[in-house]
């Protein structure tokens, strides 16, 4: 009986990291206002950054923009997300933006879609959970000298309470919970 209890205890201890990882993934994949998920991949001379945020954090709403005011707000946020110096500051590495993609399509209605589903849109305001997604690629002179990424996104969008950042490089990996008071990812 003691051997069975010991084997069960050891099995639970070995599976604990799997359960923790699964719980973190579930939290990571949920749509939570105030929270942004960020992934940083550093490989050779490239830094790739991916952001996923509920639209509420940046735009202030999640429904399809129909009024001129709402459409202008979405376009303003899109322009901010494309203004790299307002979003990220690199310490070391000599990184320059190479490519980017910002997706606000969940908030902009096409004319065809509006006409086909006018009645559905009346009820969408209650249930619609739109996300904003952005991907950035930087080319760096030396990623080995890159020691820190300051995420200025928190200053631009005060509704963001926390950024859950996961990062991986050629030889290290880590996580960081970024807030207004702590907005830097240390890569050391």
């Amino acid at each position: 009986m003691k051997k069975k209890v010991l084997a069960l205890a050891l099995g639970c201890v070995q599976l604990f990291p799997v359960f923790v990882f699964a719980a973190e993934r579930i939290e990571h994949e949920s749509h939570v206002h105030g929270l942004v998920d960020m992934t940083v991949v550093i490989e050779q001379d490239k830094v790739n950054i991916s952001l996923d945020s509920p639209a509420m954090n940046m735009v202030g709403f999640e429904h399809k923009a129909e009024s001129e005011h709402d459409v202008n707000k979405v376009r303003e946020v899109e322009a901010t997300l494309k203004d790299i110096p307002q979003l990220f500051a690199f310490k070391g590495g000599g990184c320059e933006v190479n490519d980017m993609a910002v997706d606000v399509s969940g908030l902009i209605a096409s004319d065809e879609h509006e006409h086909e589903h006018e009645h559905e849109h009346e009820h969408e305001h209650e249930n619609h959970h739109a996300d904003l997604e952005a991907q950035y690629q930087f080319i760096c002179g030396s990623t080995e000298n890159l020691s820190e990424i300051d995420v200025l996104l928190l200053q631009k969008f005060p509704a963001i309470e926390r950024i859950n950042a996961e990062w991986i490089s050629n030889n290290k990996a880590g996580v960081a919970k970024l807030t207004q008071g702590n907005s830097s990812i240390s890569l050391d």
Side-chain angles (χ1 to χ4, degrees):
M1 179 68 169
K2 287 183 182 179
K3 288 182 181 179
K4 287 182 182 179
V5 171
L6 182 60
L8 179 62
L10 286 174
C12 288
V13 168
Q14 290 175 341
L15 289 176
F16 182 73
V18 172
F19 294 130
V20 170
F21 178 75
E24 287 178 359
R25 295 308 304 170
I26 290 169
E27 178 184 334
H28 177 76
E29 293 174 3
S30 62
H31 177 96
V32 179
H33 294 177
L35 178 66
V36 173
D37 290 319
M38 178 176 175
T39 305
V40 179
V41 178
I42 303 166
E43 186 176 23
Q44 297 172 351
D45 66 341
K46 293 181 181 69
V47 175
N48 294 295
I49 297 176
S50 177
L51 299 172
D52 186 9
S53 173
M56 182 65 75
N57 295 342
M58 298 179 194
V59 181
F61 58 85
E62 294 188 329
H63 58 269
K64 294 278 188 187
E66 296 171 3
S67 71
E68 184 178 342
H69 176 267
D70 285 356
V71 170
N72 289 339
K73 181 64 178 170
V74 171
R75 294 299 179 206
E76 177 185 315
V77 167
E78 181 181 32
T80 300
L81 290 173
K82 290 180 177 180
D83 189 359
I84 306 299
Q86 290 191 56
L87 304 178
F88 308 106
F90 295 90
K91 189 173 191 180
C95 301
E96 298 291 330
V97 69
N98 181 52
D99 197 12
M100 79 175 89
V102 176
D103 182 9
V104 296
S105 63
L107 293 170
I108 301 293
S110 69
D111 288 339
E112 290 176 21
H113 182 72
E114 285 180 41
H115 293 297
E116 290 175 12
H117 301 287
E118 276 183 32
H119 183 69
E120 290 176 23
H121 284 286
E122 293 172 11
H123 303 288
E124 243 181 37
H125 291 279
E126 298 171 15
N127 304 345
H128 190 69
H129 291 284
D131 286 342
L132 297 176
E133 297 177 1
Q135 289 81 36
Y136 306 92
Q137 183 181 71
F138 301 87
I139 301 293
C140 304
S142 173
T143 55
E144 292 83 27
N145 294 331
L146 180 59
S147 61
E148 186 175 284
I149 301 172
D150 193 14
V151 182
L152 308 172
L153 188 72
L154 289 154
Q155 297 168 7
K156 299 307 289 179
F157 300 103
I160 297 174
E161 298 170 12
R162 186 177 80 219
I163 297 176
N164 287 340
E166 299 174 345
W167 62 272
I168 186 166
S169 69
N170 295 325
N171 56 0
K172 297 178 194 171
V175 296
K177 295 197 184 301
L178 308 178
T179 62
Q180 293 290 339
N182 176 28
S183 62
S184 294
I185 300 171
S186 177
L187 304 171
D188 293 329

